[in-house]
Amino acid sequence: MEKCSIVVPCYNEEEALPLFYEAVEKVLSTMPMLEFEYIFVDDGSRDKTLAVLRSMAEADAKVHYLSFSRNFGKEAAMFAGLSESTGDYVVIMDADLQDPPELLPEMYKAVTEEGYDCAATRRVNRKGEPPIRSLFAKMFYKIMNKIAKVNMMDGARDFRFMKRVMVDAILSMKEYHRFSKGIFGWVGFNTKWIDFTNRERVAGKTKWSFFSLFKYSLEGIMAFSTAPLEWASFVGLFFCVLAIAFLIFLFVRAILFGDPVDGWPSLACMITFFAGLQLFVTGIIGMYLAKAYNEIKERPVYIIREKK
Ligand code: UDP
Ligand code: MG
C-alpha cells in the first residue's frame, strides 16, 4: 500500500493540535487506500506543544514528531518535516486548521488519477485579515511576478500534496535562506490549483506581525531575484546622463551670461540627495552580501533536540 506523510509545523499550538488531529483523522478514515504517518515538527514552542505531541505519539503509532532546540521558523520546520518524511506522497499542513483537511481526497485524486505531480491550494479571499495587509500582499505578488524568474500564485498556501519526486527536488535545494513559495515554483512540475475560501484559525493566534511579513517579503525577493541590483546600476547610469546634460547647460550659460556665484541651495539639495541614494544602493548590495555570507557558512537549517 502506498504511504502518505503529513508534515505539520507547530509553534505554540497546544490548543490547536488536538482539534487538528481529530479533524484530520476524520478525513483519513475516508481514505483507506493510503497508509498515513504524521510528522509534527515542534519549532521550539514555549507552551506545552511538545508534551501534547509526546502523548499523541504514545497513543497513535502513526504519529511521529521532531522537536527543535529553539525556534527556527516555519521554513526550517517544513524542511525538517520533508527531510524526515518517508511517504510516496507528502502533504504539508498548518496546525491551526486554516488548511481544510476535507480537500485531501480531492488532492489525492489530482495526483493519482489526473496526472499531476502536485496539488496546491490557494485561498480566494482574505476574510478576517486587516485590509492594509491584503493590500501589501497583493503588491508583493505583483512585484515578485514581474522581477523573479519563478511564478508565484497570489493567495497560495503552503498546503500541498506532492509526489515523492517533487519532494526530493525540494530537498535538493539546500539553501539556508529558504522561501518555500519560491522554491515550490522553481522546481517546476505540474501543479493543480485548488481554491478555497479563507478560514480563521481554530485556536491560538497567528505568529505574523505586519513587520515580520514585510521582512519575509524582502527575503523572498532577495532569494529569487537580483533585479534590485540591476536597478541600482540603471539608476546610476541615468544620473550620469543627467549630470552630463547639466554640465553642458552650465557651460553654455557661463559663456553666454558670465558666471555669477550662486546656486548654493540647489548644490546642498543635490549633495544630500545623492548621498542618500548612494547609501540606499550600498544598502541593497549589503543585503545581498549578507545573504551570501550566511549561505557560505553552510550552517544547518535546523537542529533537532528530540525525535520519535
Ligand atoms: N509556525 C512554525 N514556526 C514559526 C511560526 C509558525 O512552525 O516560527 C507554524 C504554526 O504553528 C502554523 C503554521 O506555521 O502551523 C502557520 O503559522 P500561522 O498560523 O501563525 O501563520 P498564518 O496562518 O497566519 O499565515
Ligand atoms: Mg494560520
Side-chain angles (χ1 to χ4, degrees), residues 1-277:
M1 190 156 52
E2 285 188 311
K3 188 170 168 186
C4 174
S5 309
I6 303 177
V7 169
V8 191
C10 314
Y11 179 53
N12 298 343
E13 301 284 7
E14 58 176 8
E15 291 164 64
L17 276 174
L19 301 168
F20 171 86
Y21 178 73
E22 193 187 332
V24 175
E25 279 295 292
K26 212 186 262 166
V27 177
L28 298 195
S29 65
T30 66
M31 301 174 75
M33 58 292 201
L34 280 177
E35 184 192 338
F36 285 94
E37 70 170 357
Y38 291 93
I39 299 183
F40 291 98
V41 184
D42 164 36
D43 183 12
S45 299
R46 269 166 299 191
D47 64 357
K48 299 200 179 62
T49 297
L50 181 57
V52 173
L53 290 178
R54 279 194 197 115
S55 62
M56 278 163 71
E58 197 93 331
D60 183 347
K62 44 182 207 308
V63 173
H64 301 272
Y65 65 84
L66 314 170
S67 181
F68 286 174
S69 60
R70 64 169 168 84
N71 179 245
F72 281 87
K74 186 186 176 188
E75 291 290 341
M78 288 194 291
F79 185 54
L82 293 181
S83 306
E84 298 290 327
S85 71
T86 58
D88 304 286
Y89 306 102
V90 180
V91 196
I92 302 176
M93 284 179 97
D94 284 2
D96 57 9
L97 284 180
Q98 280 189 301
D99 299 331
E102 307 85 78
L103 293 180
L104 284 174
E106 189 184 341
M107 294 164 97
Y108 171 71
K109 200 167 141 237
V111 170
T112 50
E113 287 169 31
E114 295 167 23
Y116 291 96
D117 303 307
C118 166
T121 58
R122 74 182 158 200
R123 31 180 209 169
V124 285
N125 67 346
R126 292 173 169 270
K127 187 176 112 262
E129 197 184 62
I132 175 112
R133 181 177 291 195
S134 306
L135 184 81
F136 269 83
K138 280 226 172 68
M139 257 168 48
F140 167 74
Y141 284 105
K142 265 222 181 91
I143 296 175
M144 196 67 195
N145 282 325
K146 277 243 165 66
I147 66 175
K149 310 263 174 327
V150 293
N151 188 40
M152 267 172 241
M153 195 64 89
D154 187 1
R157 307 218 18 117
D158 294 325
F159 179 31
R160 351 178 118 228
F161 194 108
M162 295 176 276
K163 275 190 186 161
R164 187 81 239 169
V165 267
M166 181 162 177
V167 175
D168 287 341
I170 292 167
L171 289 174
S172 72
M173 296 178 75
K174 303 256 181 251
E175 58 221 71
Y176 181 80
H177 290 285
R178 303 190 72 76
F179 188 73
S180 287
K181 287 184 200 319
I183 292 176
F184 293 143
W186 195 90
V187 294
F189 296 99
N190 296 328
T191 300
K192 174 169 184 178
W193 287 96
I194 297 172
D195 293 348
F196 69 97
T197 48
N198 194 27
R199 350 190 132 181
E200 319 238 346
R201 51 163 49 241
V202 278
K205 49 179 187 292
T206 178
K207 280 89 202 174
W208 291 100
S209 67
F210 183 76
F211 187 61
S212 64
L213 271 179
F214 182 71
K215 274 194 355 208
Y216 185 61
S217 67
L218 288 186
E219 284 271 320
I221 289 175
M222 283 188 281
F224 282 91
S225 171
T226 49
L229 292 173
E230 285 145 31
W231 296 339
S233 35
F234 280 119
V235 171
L237 197 69
F238 172 74
F239 279 108
C240 281
V241 173
L242 209 66
I244 291 169
F246 194 49
L247 189 88
I248 294 169
F249 166 73
L250 289 180
F251 187 71
V252 171
R253 195 180 64 168
I255 288 175
L256 294 182
F257 305 105
D259 188 18
V261 179
D262 61 359
W264 188 87
S266 56
L267 205 60
C269 287
M270 274 192 265
I271 290 173
T272 42
F273 175 73
F274 287 107
L277 193 68

